[in-house]
Amino acid sequence: MGARLEENRQQAELSYQLATIKTDVALELRPGELKISDANEDALKDLYAELEFRRWLGELLKKDQDPGSSAAAPEDDPSQNVPQQDPADQGIDRSRYQVISSESQFSDWLNKLEGAELFALDTETTSLNYMQAELVGISFATAPGEAAYLPLAHKESGEIEQLPLEWVLAKLKPLLEDETRLKVGQNIKYDMSVLARYGINLRGVVYDTMLESYVLKSIGSRHDMDTLSLTWLGHKPISYEEVAGKGAKQLTFDEVPLEQAAPYAAEDADVTLQLHHKIWPELEQQPSLQALYQELEAPLIPVLSRMERTGVMIDCELLAEQSKTLQLRIDALEQKAYELAGYEFKLGSTKQLQELLFDKLKLPVLKKTPKGAPSTAEEVLQELALDYPLPKVILEYRSLTKLKSTYTDKLPKMVDPDTSRVHTSYHQAVTATGRLSSSDPNLQNIPVRNEEGRLIRRAFVAPEGYRILAADYSQIELRIMAHLSGDKGLLEAFSQGLDIHRATAAEVFGVSPEQVSSDQRRSAKAINFGLIYGMSAFGLSRQLGISRVEAQSYMDKYFERYPGVESYMEKIREQAKLQGYVETLFGRRLYLPEINARNGARRKAAERAAINAPMQGTAADIIKRAMLEVDRWIAEQAEGDARLLMQVHDELVLEVRHDKLAEVQSKVVELMQQAADLAVPLLVEAGEGDNWDQAH
């Protein structure tokens, strides 16, 4: 130890200096000057809104209103106005909200809606499940502060009458289905799906405040109504918990007394309309973003609604068999883990796993949690698995238990009792790049490259007389890279229809394409995909299991052969640093708030995102354009013969009548390949079968 200290004397002395608290720093302020002064509440409001500190912002907003003030008195008729807002609240005036409870009031509001240039619409239901939700009421707003709630199925309505649901919907149907009557909503796809269950095809939906916010800036904020209201209106809306309670005792909306339900519901429509008036002018100042919203995101709403409601058939018996098989493998992995550990432990317990790996087995601690404990996160175990057997077993155990709980066990429980199908929910306003995400079930996370994932896909089946058609873009992000970079080598390889990984291997390893080995092609594939994700030499070395020097050599050779790619990557980094964002081919902006961060790791991550985001975002835009064209063609030429079922990454999945399969497959491939005009051809590979796995 003494010898080591002597060899590293300078480092030891530096460490001592760095660890010593400096007590003679010249201070600009003395302790007596550090007194708390009055807060700048206007600045705090802006800061709280930006950082989404909603409770603190709500407290400030309440202070703004004089507690002694009161809103205008309601009219004598209890059915005309909802209870007034709390005088401590400010930002939205609820005093003019109405409850529609008579035919004459309904007629007045129907005339008002028909005469409005634009009105906001919001449904209240018994469930978030659009396939099972029952309509409880509808709210409307025609101008700021002018909103009404139309109750239809509240169990407690007090003295207020409720109009018959069927009669109301029959009267509203022409208005709601009229494309010329413009409508705005917040996440209006849900309302569209609910109304469809009652035979109403909602049309004229030109604005959705959630999507307006998302297109304007996809990151940095959530796009739910409460967050948007605080950010854009400085107003904290009534929360669902305030009227329905929390937890196990939470009421469904039809159980909420009308006295409390009405202001909540009417405010939703009012806030939505006011948000549109705030956000839309901002979008209009950015023509490319406005066009993206009007030409892509808004038209996609009804397409996604139809896909969701169509759903997909699954083979529950097959999934049950798969669950049994997975459980046998999980049990075997548990026993293997016990053997490697020398004793039994809970594989799902983070604490026990930390003690085993780092205290007993003394494996190296690669990363720590925020609380300072050794991390057992997936990326840590993946690195440890390169050298130690137990982490590899733990990873496989985690993967199989997740597949079993998320898919093989859960999917049969998610089958809708009315349709006998599974219905996912697609989300347009979640990912930063514009890609769709899905939930309940999450279709995007089913593994595609292992046997377990293929078994799950095998359970997605076609009904009698139909086949599953899957059409997938081939290497779309690499093709986009070729287009954006303009690299001659890449453009030539794609234009000639070459195997891009074999062509890259030939260039990097200096052999003819015919001489490329399977290992060389695998390495070239890792380079091709790694570079578009901004992978470093260190990352490539880990993926290929080679030295960092060798990985750097591969990358250097790649850039020598494809200099346009390196130039593009450097240009896009600099552009991102100057602008704070990058763009897709169709004008979608992808903001990178940490591109100029002082923290090197965060800055590097933002630089990697700057390289990848235009490609991933452009790919997302392209498949959305393809969905619109395929849906339009089906409606015009193949209604009843084909149905869009799913969109997963770069793949569209359809259900097609077996006797129309050739025609539909040919047209779908054609439309997908024409979805964008790139400098290289888009290639779509399509297959068909009795199930998704066969078709993929």
PDB file of all heavy atoms in Angstrom, residues 358-390:
ATOM      1  N   PHE A 358     -23.546  -8.661  -5.039  1.00  0.00           N
ATOM      2  CA  PHE A 358     -22.467  -7.725  -4.695  1.00  0.00           C
ATOM      3  C   PHE A 358     -21.854  -7.939  -3.312  1.00  0.00           C
ATOM      4  O   PHE A 358     -20.702  -7.585  -3.095  1.00  0.00           O
ATOM      5  CB  PHE A 358     -22.993  -6.291  -4.830  1.00  0.00           C
ATOM      6  CG  PHE A 358     -23.589  -6.012  -6.179  1.00  0.00           C
ATOM      7  CD1 PHE A 358     -24.947  -5.809  -6.337  1.00  0.00           C
ATOM      8  CD2 PHE A 358     -22.791  -6.001  -7.318  1.00  0.00           C
ATOM      9  CE1 PHE A 358     -25.501  -5.572  -7.584  1.00  0.00           C
ATOM     10  CE2 PHE A 358     -23.328  -5.770  -8.570  1.00  0.00           C
ATOM     11  CZ  PHE A 358     -24.694  -5.562  -8.708  1.00  0.00           C
ATOM     12  N   ASP A 359     -22.617  -8.541  -2.382  1.00  0.00           N
ATOM     13  CA  ASP A 359     -22.054  -8.813  -1.057  1.00  0.00           C
ATOM     14  C   ASP A 359     -21.471 -10.218  -0.978  1.00  0.00           C
ATOM     15  O   ASP A 359     -20.348 -10.406  -0.512  1.00  0.00           O
ATOM     16  CB  ASP A 359     -23.133  -8.646   0.033  1.00  0.00           C
ATOM     17  CG  ASP A 359     -23.610  -7.216   0.152  1.00  0.00           C
ATOM     18  OD1 ASP A 359     -22.887  -6.309  -0.315  1.00  0.00           O
ATOM     19  OD2 ASP A 359     -24.710  -6.991   0.688  1.00  0.00           O
ATOM     20  N   LYS A 360     -22.242 -11.201  -1.445  1.00  0.00           N
ATOM     21  CA  LYS A 360     -21.783 -12.593  -1.324  1.00  0.00           C
ATOM     22  C   LYS A 360     -20.869 -13.009  -2.481  1.00  0.00           C
ATOM     23  O   LYS A 360     -19.806 -13.577  -2.273  1.00  0.00           O
ATOM     24  CB  LYS A 360     -22.990 -13.524  -1.221  1.00  0.00           C
ATOM     25  CG  LYS A 360     -23.767 -13.364   0.090  1.00  0.00           C
ATOM     26  CD  LYS A 360     -24.858 -14.402   0.225  1.00  0.00           C
ATOM     27  CE  LYS A 360     -25.462 -14.407   1.630  1.00  0.00           C
ATOM     28  NZ  LYS A 360     -26.034 -13.113   2.026  1.00  0.00           N
ATOM     29  N   LEU A 361     -21.302 -12.745  -3.726  1.00  0.00           N
ATOM     30  CA  LEU A 361     -20.500 -13.156  -4.889  1.00  0.00           C
ATOM     31  C   LEU A 361     -19.439 -12.138  -5.275  1.00  0.00           C
ATOM     32  O   LEU A 361     -18.571 -12.417  -6.112  1.00  0.00           O
ATOM     33  CB  LEU A 361     -21.418 -13.431  -6.085  1.00  0.00           C
ATOM     34  CG  LEU A 361     -22.447 -14.556  -5.904  1.00  0.00           C
ATOM     35  CD1 LEU A 361     -23.274 -14.741  -7.177  1.00  0.00           C
ATOM     36  CD2 LEU A 361     -21.762 -15.870  -5.536  1.00  0.00           C
ATOM     37  N   LYS A 362     -19.508 -10.950  -4.675  1.00  0.00           N
ATOM     38  CA  LYS A 362     -18.499  -9.896  -4.900  1.00  0.00           C
ATOM     39  C   LYS A 362     -18.362  -9.501  -6.367  1.00  0.00           C
ATOM     40  O   LYS A 362     -17.262  -9.205  -6.845  1.00  0.00           O
ATOM     41  CB  LYS A 362     -17.119 -10.340  -4.357  1.00  0.00           C
ATOM     42  CG  LYS A 362     -17.106 -10.746  -2.903  1.00  0.00           C
ATOM     43  CD  LYS A 362     -17.471  -9.591  -1.995  1.00  0.00           C
ATOM     44  CE  LYS A 362     -17.409  -9.997  -0.522  1.00  0.00           C
ATOM     45  NZ  LYS A 362     -17.852  -8.907   0.377  1.00  0.00           N
ATOM     46  N   LEU A 363     -19.471  -9.483  -7.105  1.00  0.00           N
ATOM     47  CA  LEU A 363     -19.423  -9.016  -8.493  1.00  0.00           C
ATOM     48  C   LEU A 363     -19.177  -7.513  -8.508  1.00  0.00           C
ATOM     49  O   LEU A 363     -19.546  -6.808  -7.552  1.00  0.00           O
ATOM     50  CB  LEU A 363     -20.735  -9.337  -9.218  1.00  0.00           C
ATOM     51  CG  LEU A 363     -20.809 -10.692  -9.939  1.00  0.00           C
ATOM     52  CD1 LEU A 363     -20.524 -11.854  -9.011  1.00  0.00           C
ATOM     53  CD2 LEU A 363     -22.177 -10.868 -10.598  1.00  0.00           C
ATOM     54  N   PRO A 364     -18.539  -7.005  -9.537  1.00  0.00           N
ATOM     55  CA  PRO A 364     -18.240  -5.564  -9.568  1.00  0.00           C
ATOM     56  C   PRO A 364     -19.501  -4.709  -9.628  1.00  0.00           C
ATOM     57  O   PRO A 364     -20.452  -5.045 -10.342  1.00  0.00           O
ATOM     58  CB  PRO A 364     -17.410  -5.397 -10.846  1.00  0.00           C
ATOM     59  CG  PRO A 364     -17.742  -6.582 -11.683  1.00  0.00           C
ATOM     60  CD  PRO A 364     -18.031  -7.697 -10.726  1.00  0.00           C
ATOM     61  N   VAL A 365     -19.502  -3.613  -8.874  1.00  0.00           N
ATOM     62  CA  VAL A 365     -20.619  -2.667  -8.879  1.00  0.00           C
ATOM     63  C   VAL A 365     -20.406  -1.705 -10.046  1.00  0.00           C
ATOM     64  O   VAL A 365     -19.479  -0.891 -10.028  1.00  0.00           O
ATOM     65  CB  VAL A 365     -20.714  -1.893  -7.548  1.00  0.00           C
ATOM     66  CG1 VAL A 365     -21.833  -0.861  -7.614  1.00  0.00           C
ATOM     67  CG2 VAL A 365     -20.934  -2.861  -6.392  1.00  0.00           C
ATOM     68  N   LEU A 366     -21.241  -1.813 -11.063  1.00  0.00           N
ATOM     69  CA  LEU A 366     -21.068  -1.003 -12.270  1.00  0.00           C
ATOM     70  C   LEU A 366     -21.838   0.311 -12.204  1.00  0.00           C
ATOM     71  O   LEU A 366     -21.492   1.279 -12.882  1.00  0.00           O
ATOM     72  CB  LEU A 366     -21.534  -1.796 -13.501  1.00  0.00           C
ATOM     73  CG  LEU A 366     -20.854  -3.157 -13.721  1.00  0.00           C
ATOM     74  CD1 LEU A 366     -21.406  -3.826 -14.967  1.00  0.00           C
ATOM     75  CD2 LEU A 366     -19.344  -2.993 -13.828  1.00  0.00           C
ATOM     76  N   LYS A 367     -22.901   0.330 -11.401  1.00  0.00           N
ATOM     77  CA  LYS A 367     -23.752   1.512 -11.338  1.00  0.00           C
ATOM     78  C   LYS A 367     -24.518   1.475 -10.028  1.00  0.00           C
ATOM     79  O   LYS A 367     -24.796   0.404  -9.494  1.00  0.00           O
ATOM     80  CB  LYS A 367     -24.740   1.499 -12.523  1.00  0.00           C
ATOM     81  CG  LYS A 367     -25.550   2.757 -12.710  1.00  0.00           C
ATOM     82  CD  LYS A 367     -26.445   2.617 -13.952  1.00  0.00           C
ATOM     83  CE  LYS A 367     -27.302   3.851 -14.165  1.00  0.00           C
ATOM     84  NZ  LYS A 367     -28.195   3.700 -15.343  1.00  0.00           N
ATOM     85  N   LYS A 368     -24.834   2.665  -9.507  1.00  0.00           N
ATOM     86  CA  LYS A 368     -25.586   2.730  -8.256  1.00  0.00           C
ATOM     87  C   LYS A 368     -26.927   3.423  -8.466  1.00  0.00           C
ATOM     88  O   LYS A 368     -27.092   4.224  -9.373  1.00  0.00           O
ATOM     89  CB  LYS A 368     -24.777   3.459  -7.180  1.00  0.00           C
ATOM     90  CG  LYS A 368     -23.562   2.667  -6.707  1.00  0.00           C
ATOM     91  CD  LYS A 368     -22.924   3.292  -5.483  1.00  0.00           C
ATOM     92  CE  LYS A 368     -21.786   2.430  -4.958  1.00  0.00           C
ATOM     93  NZ  LYS A 368     -21.208   3.002  -3.718  1.00  0.00           N
ATOM     94  N   THR A 369     -27.861   3.095  -7.589  1.00  0.00           N
ATOM     95  CA  THR A 369     -29.166   3.749  -7.610  1.00  0.00           C
ATOM     96  C   THR A 369     -29.023   5.147  -7.016  1.00  0.00           C
ATOM     97  O   THR A 369     -27.999   5.461  -6.394  1.00  0.00           O
ATOM     98  CB  THR A 369     -30.188   2.949  -6.780  1.00  0.00           C
ATOM     99  OG1 THR A 369     -29.816   3.030  -5.396  1.00  0.00           O
ATOM    100  CG2 THR A 369     -30.235   1.502  -7.224  1.00  0.00           C
ATOM    101  N   PRO A 370     -30.034   6.015  -7.187  1.00  0.00           N
ATOM    102  CA  PRO A 370     -29.958   7.358  -6.589  1.00  0.00           C
ATOM    103  C   PRO A 370     -29.726   7.336  -5.079  1.00  0.00           C
ATOM    104  O   PRO A 370     -29.184   8.286  -4.516  1.00  0.00           O
ATOM    105  CB  PRO A 370     -31.327   7.966  -6.926  1.00  0.00           C
ATOM    106  CG  PRO A 370     -31.734   7.278  -8.189  1.00  0.00           C
ATOM    107  CD  PRO A 370     -31.227   5.882  -8.051  1.00  0.00           C
ATOM    108  N   LYS A 371     -30.118   6.231  -4.417  1.00  0.00           N
ATOM    109  CA  LYS A 371     -29.920   6.137  -2.965  1.00  0.00           C
ATOM    110  C   LYS A 371     -28.581   5.504  -2.601  1.00  0.00           C
ATOM    111  O   LYS A 371     -28.288   5.288  -1.425  1.00  0.00           O
ATOM    112  CB  LYS A 371     -31.061   5.337  -2.336  1.00  0.00           C
ATOM    113  CG  LYS A 371     -32.403   6.060  -2.398  1.00  0.00           C
ATOM    114  CD  LYS A 371     -33.469   5.306  -1.633  1.00  0.00           C
ATOM    115  CE  LYS A 371     -34.793   6.074  -1.632  1.00  0.00           C
ATOM    116  NZ  LYS A 371     -35.862   5.366  -0.888  1.00  0.00           N
ATOM    117  N   GLY A 372     -27.777   5.182  -3.632  1.00  0.00           N
ATOM    118  CA  GLY A 372     -26.432   4.682  -3.362  1.00  0.00           C
ATOM    119  C   GLY A 372     -26.290   3.177  -3.325  1.00  0.00           C
ATOM    120  O   GLY A 372     -25.191   2.661  -3.102  1.00  0.00           O
ATOM    121  N   ALA A 373     -27.363   2.435  -3.544  1.00  0.00           N
ATOM    122  CA  ALA A 373     -27.285   0.974  -3.542  1.00  0.00           C
ATOM    123  C   ALA A 373     -26.810   0.477  -4.910  1.00  0.00           C
ATOM    124  O   ALA A 373     -27.039   1.135  -5.932  1.00  0.00           O
ATOM    125  CB  ALA A 373     -28.651   0.379  -3.215  1.00  0.00           C
ATOM    126  N   PRO A 374     -26.152  -0.678  -4.953  1.00  0.00           N
ATOM    127  CA  PRO A 374     -25.731  -1.225  -6.252  1.00  0.00           C
ATOM    128  C   PRO A 374     -26.941  -1.492  -7.142  1.00  0.00           C
ATOM    129  O   PRO A 374     -27.924  -2.073  -6.702  1.00  0.00           O
ATOM    130  CB  PRO A 374     -25.025  -2.530  -5.876  1.00  0.00           C
ATOM    131  CG  PRO A 374     -24.674  -2.387  -4.439  1.00  0.00           C
ATOM    132  CD  PRO A 374     -25.731  -1.533  -3.831  1.00  0.00           C
ATOM    133  N   SER A 375     -26.852  -1.071  -8.383  1.00  0.00           N
ATOM    134  CA  SER A 375     -27.979  -1.220  -9.306  1.00  0.00           C
ATOM    135  C   SER A 375     -28.045  -2.634  -9.860  1.00  0.00           C
ATOM    136  O   SER A 375     -27.016  -3.259 -10.151  1.00  0.00           O
ATOM    137  CB  SER A 375     -27.850  -0.223 -10.459  1.00  0.00           C
ATOM    138  OG  SER A 375     -28.830  -0.465 -11.440  1.00  0.00           O
ATOM    139  N   THR A 376     -29.284  -3.139  -9.992  1.00  0.00           N
ATOM    140  CA  THR A 376     -29.509  -4.425 -10.665  1.00  0.00           C
ATOM    141  C   THR A 376     -30.373  -4.211 -11.908  1.00  0.00           C
ATOM    142  O   THR A 376     -31.110  -5.096 -12.321  1.00  0.00           O
ATOM    143  CB  THR A 376     -30.201  -5.432  -9.720  1.00  0.00           C
ATOM    144  OG1 THR A 376     -31.459  -4.879  -9.294  1.00  0.00           O
ATOM    145  CG2 THR A 376     -29.343  -5.733  -8.508  1.00  0.00           C
ATOM    146  N   ALA A 377     -30.277  -3.002 -12.500  1.00  0.00           N
ATOM    147  CA  ALA A 377     -31.054  -2.684 -13.696  1.00  0.00           C
ATOM    148  C   ALA A 377     -30.620  -3.579 -14.853  1.00  0.00           C
ATOM    149  O   ALA A 377     -29.539  -4.179 -14.838  1.00  0.00           O
ATOM    150  CB  ALA A 377     -30.866  -1.216 -14.067  1.00  0.00           C
ATOM    151  N   GLU A 378     -31.466  -3.641 -15.875  1.00  0.00           N
ATOM    152  CA  GLU A 378     -31.226  -4.576 -16.976  1.00  0.00           C
ATOM    153  C   GLU A 378     -29.891  -4.338 -17.661  1.00  0.00           C
ATOM    154  O   GLU A 378     -29.159  -5.292 -17.952  1.00  0.00           O
ATOM    155  CB  GLU A 378     -32.365  -4.484 -17.990  1.00  0.00           C
ATOM    156  CG  GLU A 378     -32.263  -5.530 -19.086  1.00  0.00           C
ATOM    157  CD  GLU A 378     -33.524  -5.639 -19.935  1.00  0.00           C
ATOM    158  OE1 GLU A 378     -34.545  -5.038 -19.552  1.00  0.00           O
ATOM    159  OE2 GLU A 378     -33.483  -6.310 -20.958  1.00  0.00           O
ATOM    160  N   GLU A 379     -29.555  -3.039 -17.914  1.00  0.00           N
ATOM    161  CA  GLU A 379     -28.299  -2.784 -18.622  1.00  0.00           C
ATOM    162  C   GLU A 379     -27.079  -3.207 -17.793  1.00  0.00           C
ATOM    163  O   GLU A 379     -26.055  -3.618 -18.340  1.00  0.00           O
ATOM    164  CB  GLU A 379     -28.193  -1.306 -19.015  1.00  0.00           C
ATOM    165  CG  GLU A 379     -28.089  -0.313 -17.872  1.00  0.00           C
ATOM    166  CD  GLU A 379     -29.445   0.175 -17.409  1.00  0.00           C
ATOM    167  OE1 GLU A 379     -30.459  -0.467 -17.751  1.00  0.00           O
ATOM    168  OE2 GLU A 379     -29.478   1.200 -16.691  1.00  0.00           O
ATOM    169  N   VAL A 380     -27.208  -3.133 -16.462  1.00  0.00           N
ATOM    170  CA  VAL A 380     -26.123  -3.577 -15.574  1.00  0.00           C
ATOM    171  C   VAL A 380     -25.972  -5.094 -15.658  1.00  0.00           C
ATOM    172  O   VAL A 380     -24.866  -5.625 -15.814  1.00  0.00           O
ATOM    173  CB  VAL A 380     -26.397  -3.141 -14.119  1.00  0.00           C
ATOM    174  CG1 VAL A 380     -25.383  -3.790 -13.167  1.00  0.00           C
ATOM    175  CG2 VAL A 380     -26.347  -1.629 -13.993  1.00  0.00           C
ATOM    176  N   LEU A 381     -27.095  -5.796 -15.554  1.00  0.00           N
ATOM    177  CA  LEU A 381     -27.042  -7.261 -15.634  1.00  0.00           C
ATOM    178  C   LEU A 381     -26.552  -7.736 -16.998  1.00  0.00           C
ATOM    179  O   LEU A 381     -25.857  -8.750 -17.098  1.00  0.00           O
ATOM    180  CB  LEU A 381     -28.423  -7.854 -15.340  1.00  0.00           C
ATOM    181  CG  LEU A 381     -28.965  -7.659 -13.909  1.00  0.00           C
ATOM    182  CD1 LEU A 381     -30.312  -8.357 -13.750  1.00  0.00           C
ATOM    183  CD2 LEU A 381     -27.981  -8.163 -12.869  1.00  0.00           C
ATOM    184  N   GLN A 382     -26.915  -7.004 -18.058  1.00  0.00           N
ATOM    185  CA  GLN A 382     -26.450  -7.383 -19.398  1.00  0.00           C
ATOM    186  C   GLN A 382     -24.927  -7.333 -19.484  1.00  0.00           C
ATOM    187  O   GLN A 382     -24.299  -8.204 -20.089  1.00  0.00           O
ATOM    188  CB  GLN A 382     -27.073  -6.455 -20.447  1.00  0.00           C
ATOM    189  CG  GLN A 382     -28.531  -6.766 -20.746  1.00  0.00           C
ATOM    190  CD  GLN A 382     -29.157  -5.757 -21.683  1.00  0.00           C
ATOM    191  OE1 GLN A 382     -28.624  -4.665 -21.885  1.00  0.00           O
ATOM    192  NE2 GLN A 382     -30.304  -6.104 -22.244  1.00  0.00           N
ATOM    193  N   GLU A 383     -24.340  -6.307 -18.866  1.00  0.00           N
ATOM    194  CA  GLU A 383     -22.881  -6.194 -18.900  1.00  0.00           C
ATOM    195  C   GLU A 383     -22.238  -7.267 -18.027  1.00  0.00           C
ATOM    196  O   GLU A 383     -21.239  -7.878 -18.410  1.00  0.00           O
ATOM    197  CB  GLU A 383     -22.452  -4.796 -18.440  1.00  0.00           C
ATOM    198  CG  GLU A 383     -20.985  -4.535 -18.671  1.00  0.00           C
ATOM    199  CD  GLU A 383     -20.636  -3.055 -18.615  1.00  0.00           C
ATOM    200  OE1 GLU A 383     -21.549  -2.210 -18.686  1.00  0.00           O
ATOM    201  OE2 GLU A 383     -19.443  -2.745 -18.496  1.00  0.00           O
ATOM    202  N   LEU A 384     -22.826  -7.499 -16.852  1.00  0.00           N
ATOM    203  CA  LEU A 384     -22.284  -8.538 -15.970  1.00  0.00           C
ATOM    204  C   LEU A 384     -22.426  -9.915 -16.600  1.00  0.00           C
ATOM    205  O   LEU A 384     -21.587 -10.797 -16.387  1.00  0.00           O
ATOM    206  CB  LEU A 384     -23.001  -8.503 -14.623  1.00  0.00           C
ATOM    207  CG  LEU A 384     -22.720  -7.290 -13.721  1.00  0.00           C
ATOM    208  CD1 LEU A 384     -23.633  -7.302 -12.507  1.00  0.00           C
ATOM    209  CD2 LEU A 384     -21.256  -7.264 -13.292  1.00  0.00           C
ATOM    210  N   ALA A 385     -23.482 -10.114 -17.386  1.00  0.00           N
ATOM    211  CA  ALA A 385     -23.740 -11.425 -17.999  1.00  0.00           C
ATOM    212  C   ALA A 385     -22.666 -11.815 -19.009  1.00  0.00           C
ATOM    213  O   ALA A 385     -22.541 -13.000 -19.350  1.00  0.00           O
ATOM    214  CB  ALA A 385     -25.106 -11.427 -18.671  1.00  0.00           C
ATOM    215  N   LEU A 386     -21.897 -10.841 -19.476  1.00  0.00           N
ATOM    216  CA  LEU A 386     -20.817 -11.159 -20.411  1.00  0.00           C
ATOM    217  C   LEU A 386     -19.726 -11.982 -19.735  1.00  0.00           C
ATOM    218  O   LEU A 386     -19.006 -12.736 -20.396  1.00  0.00           O
ATOM    219  CB  LEU A 386     -20.208  -9.864 -20.975  1.00  0.00           C
ATOM    220  CG  LEU A 386     -21.144  -8.979 -21.811  1.00  0.00           C
ATOM    221  CD1 LEU A 386     -20.453  -7.660 -22.165  1.00  0.00           C
ATOM    222  CD2 LEU A 386     -21.584  -9.705 -23.072  1.00  0.00           C
ATOM    223  N   ASP A 387     -19.609 -11.846 -18.405  1.00  0.00           N
ATOM    224  CA  ASP A 387     -18.526 -12.519 -17.674  1.00  0.00           C
ATOM    225  C   ASP A 387     -18.996 -13.479 -16.588  1.00  0.00           C
ATOM    226  O   ASP A 387     -18.205 -14.290 -16.109  1.00  0.00           O
ATOM    227  CB  ASP A 387     -17.603 -11.468 -17.038  1.00  0.00           C
ATOM    228  CG  ASP A 387     -16.995 -10.528 -18.067  1.00  0.00           C
ATOM    229  OD1 ASP A 387     -16.407 -11.045 -19.039  1.00  0.00           O
ATOM    230  OD2 ASP A 387     -17.120  -9.302 -17.916  1.00  0.00           O
ATOM    231  N   TYR A 388     -20.259 -13.376 -16.173  1.00  0.00           N
ATOM    232  CA  TYR A 388     -20.737 -14.189 -15.052  1.00  0.00           C
ATOM    233  C   TYR A 388     -22.044 -14.885 -15.438  1.00  0.00           C
ATOM    234  O   TYR A 388     -22.913 -14.284 -16.071  1.00  0.00           O
ATOM    235  CB  TYR A 388     -20.962 -13.324 -13.808  1.00  0.00           C
ATOM    236  CG  TYR A 388     -19.733 -12.536 -13.400  1.00  0.00           C
ATOM    237  CD1 TYR A 388     -19.590 -11.200 -13.781  1.00  0.00           C
ATOM    238  CD2 TYR A 388     -18.716 -13.131 -12.652  1.00  0.00           C
ATOM    239  CE1 TYR A 388     -18.469 -10.478 -13.421  1.00  0.00           C
ATOM    240  CE2 TYR A 388     -17.583 -12.412 -12.284  1.00  0.00           C
ATOM    241  CZ  TYR A 388     -17.463 -11.084 -12.676  1.00  0.00           C
ATOM    242  OH  TYR A 388     -16.354 -10.373 -12.325  1.00  0.00           O
ATOM    243  N   PRO A 389     -22.222 -16.152 -15.022  1.00  0.00           N
ATOM    244  CA  PRO A 389     -23.413 -16.910 -15.453  1.00  0.00           C
ATOM    245  C   PRO A 389     -24.714 -16.499 -14.761  1.00  0.00           C
ATOM    246  O   PRO A 389     -25.772 -16.517 -15.391  1.00  0.00           O
ATOM    247  CB  PRO A 389     -23.053 -18.360 -15.110  1.00  0.00           C
ATOM    248  CG  PRO A 389     -22.022 -18.258 -14.025  1.00  0.00           C
ATOM    249  CD  PRO A 389     -21.248 -17.009 -14.307  1.00  0.00           C
ATOM    250  N   LEU A 390     -24.666 -16.151 -13.470  1.00  0.00           N
ATOM    251  CA  LEU A 390     -25.911 -15.874 -12.748  1.00  0.00           C
ATOM    252  C   LEU A 390     -26.681 -14.676 -13.306  1.00  0.00           C
ATOM    253  O   LEU A 390     -27.905 -14.769 -13.485  1.00  0.00           O
ATOM    254  CB  LEU A 390     -25.633 -15.682 -11.251  1.00  0.00           C
ATOM    255  CG  LEU A 390     -26.878 -15.484 -10.375  1.00  0.00           C
ATOM    256  CD1 LEU A 390     -27.882 -16.611 -10.551  1.00  0.00           C
ATOM    257  CD2 LEU A 390     -26.473 -15.339  -8.906  1.00  0.00           C
TER     258      LEU A 390
END
